[in-house]
Amino acid sequence: MTRPTKCPKCGGELVTIYKTFEVDGHRAENVPVLTCPRCSIFLLDTQLFIDITERAEDFKDKDQLLEELREIKEDEEIRDILKQYTFQNHIKEVLNERGISLRRLANMLDVSPNYIHILTKNQSTSIRTALKMAYALGVDVNRLYTLRRIDEEYKEPSKTLYTRISKEEREQDEKIKEELKKMNVKLYVDEVLKKKGLRRTQLAARLDISPQEMYNIVKIRKGSTGIETALKMAYAIGVDVNELFRLEEVEKEVGE
């Protein structure tokens, strides 16, 4: 995270001074601190607390405190990076590459062509719909949706190709439609977090959402989670989105 150069209160130039702090009764000298001479305020951030703690004499649980502070710092850096990104769909590109019309994709998903048209305008959708589109088109979901910087422009194809489909293709489309009706999204967020040595609260901090919101995603929304959130979750953890959300055949309940 880039340190500020302007005072958030008056807009004046910030300067660096060196101060002495005490941590648990131990002195930490010559610690650089940003201050505004006009407002006489000091800006403290996680890195500063790390600097202070590192400069302090040894004290009980110093290493543990430093580890926790560095963990918080990493979470903040990931959060600040993700704030610069949004999602981008590549539906039209993939349709043209695969030689599949928008109407044909809509039929496989059992939705209206207008709905798919809306999605091509970068309208948000759920990770469930994104995974089902990927399945229908025979591509990875990362080919359909990616993260892009907010300040970057994306120029989508002006139109999608129209191609006639054969009887065999129509039959294949109907088969895919029936397969998709039996499938739903299963989450593996907790399993991946455990494997990575992370906690839900950490992931929430990296996404800049509350722990309750994180709980809702994992336990309530599940496959209804928005595609942008799903992609950012994957980035925040450092894994592929397919490791967190998988399209699987729904097992029938006993007695059905």
Side-chain angles (χ1 to χ4, degrees), residues 29 45 68 93 117-118 125 167 183 187 189 201 229 236 247:
E29 299 180 347
D45 60 16
E68 291 174 356
E93 289 178 34
H117 175 72
I118 291 172
T125 189
K167 179 181 177 182
M183 305 178 87
L187 269 67
V189 176
T201 51
T229 298
L247 194 62

Side-chain angles (χ1 to χ4, degrees), residues 180-191:
L180 286 173
K181 287 179 180 179
K182 302 174 184 177
M183 305 178 87
N184 205 345
V185 173
K186 187 172 181 180
L187 269 67
Y188 292 88
V189 176
D190 285 340
E191 291 84 348

Side-chain angles (χ1 to χ4, degrees), residues 226-241:
I227 182 63
E228 180 171 341
T229 298
L231 291 172
K232 287 187 173 182
M233 286 172 66
Y235 182 97
I237 300 173
V239 297
D240 190 288
V241 70

Side-chain angles (χ1 to χ4, degrees), residues 64-117:
Q64 181 181 343
L65 176 59
L66 278 171
E67 183 179 345
E68 291 174 356
L69 287 171
R70 288 169 182 149
E71 186 179 275
I72 293 171
K73 178 65 175 175
E74 182 181 6
D75 294 344
E76 290 176 346
E77 289 174 343
I78 292 173
R79 179 199 65 201
D80 290 342
I81 289 172
L82 287 174
K83 284 182 177 179
Q84 303 173 46
Y85 284 82
T86 185
F87 77 97
Q88 178 62 57
N89 86 82
H90 304 273
I91 299 172
K92 284 187 177 181
E93 289 178 34
V94 176
L95 287 174
N96 289 344
E97 289 173 3
R98 305 290 290 178
I100 295 175
S101 69
L102 185 149
R103 184 175 295 276
R104 185 179 169 190
L105 174 60
N107 178 63
M108 286 188 280
L109 296 178
D110 202 19
V111 298
S112 71
N114 187 56
Y115 177 66
I116 301 298
H117 175 72

